[in-house]
Amino acid sequence: MVQKQAYGSVLLKADDILEFLSSDDSQHRLSEIARHTGLTPPTASKILNTLLLIGYVQKDPDTKLFSLGPRLLKYANKSLHQLSIKRIAQPFLEDLQKATDETVHLGIHEFGYIKYITKIASKKPVSLYSEIGKSIPLYCSAMGKAVLADLEDDDIAYYIEKNELIGKTKNTIVTPERLFDEVNQARTDGFAFDNGEHDLDVFCIGSSITVGKTNYGAISISLPKYRLSDEVLESLQSNILLYRKKLIKALS
Protein backbone atom coordinates (compact mmCIF):
# COMPACT_ATOMS: atom_id res chain seq x y z
CA MET A 1 0.00 0.00 0.00
CA VAL A 2 1.31 3.42 -0.93
CA GLN A 3 1.68 5.67 2.12
CA LYS A 4 0.10 9.09 1.73
CA GLN A 5 2.54 11.97 1.86
CA ALA A 6 1.77 14.61 4.47
CA TYR A 7 0.82 17.99 3.07
CA GLY A 8 2.85 20.91 4.37
CA SER A 9 6.25 19.79 5.66
CA VAL A 10 6.66 23.12 7.46
CA LEU A 11 3.76 22.17 9.74
CA LEU A 12 5.53 18.93 10.63
CA LYS A 13 8.70 20.87 11.44
CA ALA A 14 6.68 23.32 13.55
CA ASP A 15 5.17 20.36 15.39
CA ASP A 16 8.70 19.07 16.11
CA ILE A 17 9.59 22.43 17.64
CA LEU A 18 6.43 22.57 19.76
CA GLU A 19 6.98 18.97 20.88
CA PHE A 20 10.50 19.85 22.01
CA LEU A 21 9.40 23.02 23.83
CA SER A 22 6.66 21.07 25.63
CA SER A 23 9.07 18.36 26.83
CA ASP A 24 10.00 20.39 29.92
CA ASP A 25 9.37 23.75 31.59
CA SER A 26 12.70 25.26 30.56
CA GLN A 27 13.33 28.04 28.07
CA HIS A 28 15.58 27.18 25.12
CA ARG A 29 18.01 28.89 22.78
CA LEU A 30 17.55 28.86 19.01
CA SER A 31 20.68 26.73 18.57
CA GLU A 32 19.41 24.17 21.06
CA ILE A 33 15.99 23.97 19.38
CA ALA A 34 17.62 23.52 15.97
CA ARG A 35 19.94 20.79 17.25
CA HIS A 36 17.21 18.76 18.96
CA THR A 37 14.78 19.00 16.02
CA GLY A 38 17.34 18.33 13.30
CA LEU A 39 16.69 21.68 11.63
CA THR A 40 19.20 24.24 10.46
CA PRO A 41 19.25 27.40 12.61
CA PRO A 42 17.89 29.57 9.73
CA THR A 43 14.96 27.17 9.17
CA ALA A 44 14.24 26.92 12.89
CA SER A 45 14.38 30.71 13.16
CA LYS A 46 11.86 31.23 10.33
CA ILE A 47 9.41 28.74 11.84
CA LEU A 48 9.83 30.19 15.35
CA ASN A 49 9.14 33.69 14.02
CA THR A 50 5.83 32.46 12.57
CA LEU A 51 4.95 30.67 15.81
CA LEU A 52 5.77 33.88 17.69
CA LEU A 53 3.48 35.85 15.40
CA ILE A 54 0.46 33.63 16.15
CA GLY A 55 1.24 33.29 19.85
CA TYR A 56 2.13 29.59 19.92
CA VAL A 57 5.65 30.46 21.12
CA GLN A 58 6.96 33.30 23.25
CA LYS A 59 10.46 34.80 23.41
CA ASP A 60 12.08 36.46 26.39
CA PRO A 61 13.24 39.90 25.12
CA ASP A 62 16.27 39.91 27.43
CA THR A 63 17.58 36.35 27.27
CA LYS A 64 16.27 35.57 23.72
CA LEU A 65 15.09 32.18 25.01
CA PHE A 66 11.96 30.48 23.64
CA SER A 67 9.08 28.72 25.40
CA LEU A 68 5.47 27.75 24.66
CA GLY A 69 3.17 30.73 24.16
CA PRO A 70 -0.11 31.62 25.90
CA ARG A 71 -2.31 31.09 22.84
CA LEU A 72 -1.34 27.45 22.52
CA LEU A 73 -1.96 26.95 26.23
CA LYS A 74 -5.38 28.57 25.85
CA TYR A 75 -6.33 26.04 23.18
CA ALA A 76 -5.04 23.20 25.32
CA ASN A 77 -7.15 24.38 28.26
CA LYS A 78 -10.22 24.70 26.03
CA SER A 79 -9.71 21.16 24.76
CA LEU A 80 -9.43 19.84 28.32
CA HIS A 81 -12.55 21.84 29.25
CA GLN A 82 -14.52 20.25 26.40
CA LEU A 83 -13.33 16.75 27.26
CA SER A 84 -14.22 17.27 30.90
CA ILE A 85 -17.77 18.56 30.35
CA LYS A 86 -18.46 15.83 27.77
CA ARG A 87 -17.34 13.10 30.14
CA ILE A 88 -19.29 14.46 33.10
CA ALA A 89 -22.44 15.26 31.12
CA GLN A 90 -22.69 12.00 29.16
CA PRO A 91 -24.71 9.92 31.69
CA PHE A 92 -27.09 12.81 32.34
CA LEU A 93 -27.63 13.32 28.61
CA GLU A 94 -28.34 9.61 28.18
CA ASP A 95 -30.95 9.76 30.95
CA LEU A 96 -32.46 12.95 29.52
CA GLN A 97 -32.79 11.33 26.11
CA LYS A 98 -34.49 8.27 27.61
CA ALA A 99 -36.86 10.47 29.63
CA THR A 100 -37.97 12.54 26.62
CA ASP A 101 -37.34 10.14 23.72
CA GLU A 102 -36.13 13.10 21.67
CA THR A 103 -32.73 14.28 20.42
CA VAL A 104 -30.50 15.90 23.04
CA HIS A 105 -27.38 18.01 22.59
CA LEU A 106 -24.55 19.40 24.65
CA GLY A 107 -23.06 22.63 23.32
CA ILE A 108 -20.42 25.12 24.35
CA HIS A 109 -20.23 28.88 23.86
CA GLU A 110 -17.46 29.69 21.39
CA PHE A 111 -16.91 33.10 19.79
CA GLY A 112 -20.58 34.13 19.75
CA TYR A 113 -21.84 30.71 18.68
CA ILE A 114 -23.07 27.52 20.27
CA LYS A 115 -20.97 24.60 19.08
CA TYR A 116 -22.42 21.09 19.30
CA ILE A 117 -19.93 18.79 21.05
CA THR A 118 -22.21 15.84 21.94
CA LYS A 119 -25.47 14.50 20.52
CA ILE A 120 -27.75 11.59 21.37
CA ALA A 121 -30.32 11.13 18.61
CA SER A 122 -33.97 10.17 19.03
CA LYS A 123 -34.88 6.66 17.97
CA LYS A 124 -38.25 7.81 16.64
CA PRO A 125 -38.94 7.34 12.92
CA VAL A 126 -38.51 11.05 12.18
CA SER A 127 -35.49 12.50 13.95
CA LEU A 128 -33.42 15.60 13.37
CA TYR A 129 -30.24 16.11 11.43
CA SER A 130 -27.49 17.82 13.37
CA GLU A 131 -23.75 17.45 13.30
CA ILE A 132 -21.13 17.40 16.04
CA GLY A 133 -18.91 20.43 15.55
CA LYS A 134 -21.67 22.50 13.94
CA SER A 135 -21.99 26.05 15.28
CA ILE A 136 -25.19 28.14 15.51
CA PRO A 137 -25.41 31.85 16.43
CA LEU A 138 -26.44 32.48 20.02
CA TYR A 139 -29.42 34.68 19.14
CA CYS A 140 -31.29 32.03 17.14
CA SER A 141 -30.66 28.92 19.24
CA ALA A 142 -32.24 27.77 22.48
CA MET A 143 -28.89 26.93 24.04
CA GLY A 144 -27.48 30.25 22.85
CA LYS A 145 -30.26 32.34 24.37
CA ALA A 146 -29.96 30.36 27.61
CA VAL A 147 -26.23 31.13 27.71
CA LEU A 148 -26.92 34.83 27.01
CA ALA A 149 -29.33 34.82 29.96
CA ASP A 150 -26.40 34.10 32.29
CA LEU A 151 -24.51 37.18 31.08
CA GLU A 152 -24.78 40.76 32.30
CA ASP A 153 -26.92 43.15 30.24
CA ASP A 154 -23.81 45.09 29.16
CA ASP A 155 -22.24 41.89 27.82
CA ILE A 156 -25.41 41.06 25.89
CA ALA A 157 -25.51 44.58 24.44
CA TYR A 158 -21.88 44.19 23.36
CA TYR A 159 -22.70 40.84 21.73
CA ILE A 160 -25.58 42.44 19.79
CA GLU A 161 -23.35 45.33 18.73
CA LYS A 162 -20.76 42.94 17.30
CA ASN A 163 -23.18 40.40 15.78
CA GLU A 164 -25.85 41.31 13.25
CA LEU A 165 -29.18 39.60 13.97
CA ILE A 166 -29.80 38.04 10.57
CA GLY A 167 -33.07 36.27 9.83
CA LYS A 168 -32.51 32.55 9.29
CA THR A 169 -36.26 31.88 8.99
CA LYS A 170 -39.42 33.98 9.23
CA ASN A 171 -39.41 33.26 12.99
CA THR A 172 -35.89 34.48 13.74
CA ILE A 173 -35.56 37.27 16.29
CA VAL A 174 -33.89 40.17 14.52
CA THR A 175 -34.33 43.09 16.95
CA PRO A 176 -32.36 43.73 20.15
CA GLU A 177 -35.57 44.49 22.06
CA ARG A 178 -37.12 41.11 21.33
CA LEU A 179 -33.88 39.30 22.07
CA PHE A 180 -33.62 41.02 25.46
CA ASP A 181 -37.25 40.04 26.15
CA GLU A 182 -36.45 36.39 25.43
CA VAL A 183 -33.27 36.51 27.51
CA ASN A 184 -35.10 38.02 30.48
CA GLN A 185 -37.79 35.33 30.20
CA ALA A 186 -35.06 32.68 30.16
CA ARG A 187 -33.62 34.16 33.35
CA THR A 188 -37.01 33.66 35.00
CA ASP A 189 -37.77 30.21 33.56
CA GLY A 190 -34.32 28.64 33.58
CA PHE A 191 -34.62 27.70 29.90
CA ALA A 192 -35.02 29.28 26.48
CA PHE A 193 -36.82 28.30 23.28
CA ASP A 194 -35.89 28.15 19.62
CA ASN A 195 -39.29 28.04 17.96
CA GLY A 196 -38.33 27.49 14.34
CA GLU A 197 -35.83 30.35 14.48
CA HIS A 198 -32.87 28.52 12.96
CA ASP A 199 -34.68 25.64 11.23
CA LEU A 200 -38.31 26.43 10.54
CA ASP A 201 -39.72 22.97 11.32
CA VAL A 202 -37.69 22.38 14.50
CA PHE A 203 -38.54 23.24 18.10
CA CYS A 204 -35.81 23.29 20.71
CA ILE A 205 -35.58 23.99 24.43
CA GLY A 206 -32.21 24.77 25.99
CA SER A 207 -30.81 25.41 29.43
CA SER A 208 -27.45 26.87 30.39
CA ILE A 209 -24.99 25.06 32.66
CA THR A 210 -23.31 27.74 34.78
CA VAL A 211 -21.61 27.16 38.11
CA GLY A 212 -20.63 30.34 39.94
CA LYS A 213 -19.04 32.54 37.29
CA THR A 214 -18.07 29.65 35.00
CA ASN A 215 -20.26 28.63 32.08
CA TYR A 216 -19.78 25.04 30.92
CA GLY A 217 -22.12 25.35 27.95
CA ALA A 218 -25.75 24.30 27.65
CA ILE A 219 -27.99 21.28 27.07
CA SER A 220 -30.98 21.09 24.76
CA ILE A 221 -33.84 18.88 23.58
CA SER A 222 -34.90 19.15 19.93
CA LEU A 223 -37.85 17.70 18.04
CA PRO A 224 -39.91 18.26 14.89
CA LYS A 225 -42.55 20.91 15.60
CA TYR A 226 -45.40 18.60 14.58
CA ARG A 227 -44.65 16.43 17.65
CA LEU A 228 -45.01 19.37 20.03
CA SER A 229 -48.13 19.59 22.21
CA ASP A 230 -48.92 21.22 25.54
CA GLU A 231 -48.32 17.92 27.29
CA VAL A 232 -45.00 17.34 25.50
CA LEU A 233 -43.88 20.92 26.22
CA GLU A 234 -44.59 20.50 29.93
CA SER A 235 -42.52 17.30 29.95
CA LEU A 236 -39.63 18.97 28.10
CA GLN A 237 -39.58 21.89 30.54
CA SER A 238 -39.62 19.77 33.68
CA ASN A 239 -37.00 17.35 32.37
CA ILE A 240 -34.53 19.94 31.16
CA LEU A 241 -34.72 21.75 34.50
CA LEU A 242 -34.26 18.46 36.35
CA TYR A 243 -31.18 17.40 34.42
CA ARG A 244 -29.74 20.89 34.41
CA LYS A 245 -29.93 20.80 38.21
CA LYS A 246 -28.29 17.37 38.33
CA LEU A 247 -25.51 18.41 35.99
CA ILE A 248 -24.80 21.63 37.90
CA LYS A 249 -24.64 19.61 41.13
CA ALA A 250 -22.14 17.21 39.54
CA LEU A 251 -19.98 20.16 38.46
CA SER A 252 -20.15 21.99 41.79
Side-chain angles (χ1 to χ4, degrees), residues 147-207:
V147 167
L148 285 172
D150 284 345
L151 301 179
E152 300 293 334
D153 283 355
D154 287 347
D155 294 325
I156 300 170
Y158 180 79
Y159 164 77
I160 294 172
E161 179 186 343
K162 297 297 181 181
N163 296 271
E164 184 181 0
L165 307 182
I166 300 171
K168 304 291 185 179
T169 74
K170 64 181 182 180
N171 294 341
T172 308
I173 293 173
V174 293
T175 67
E177 295 77 16
R178 277 200 62 203
L179 182 57
F180 264 106
D181 287 344
E182 294 253 341
V183 166
N184 284 324
Q185 189 63 51
R187 287 168 173 166
T188 300
D189 296 337
F191 51 76
F193 297 133
D194 163 10
N195 189 8
E197 296 161 43
H198 187 268
D199 296 296
L200 191 58
D201 297 323
V202 176
F203 179 86
C204 184
I205 179 172
S207 194

Side-chain angles (χ1 to χ4, degrees), residues 14-28:
D15 181 65
D16 288 340
I17 290 175
L18 294 173
E19 182 71 24
F20 173 66
L21 291 177
S22 67
S23 63
D24 57 42
D25 294 329
S26 304
Q27 295 178 311
H28 298 278

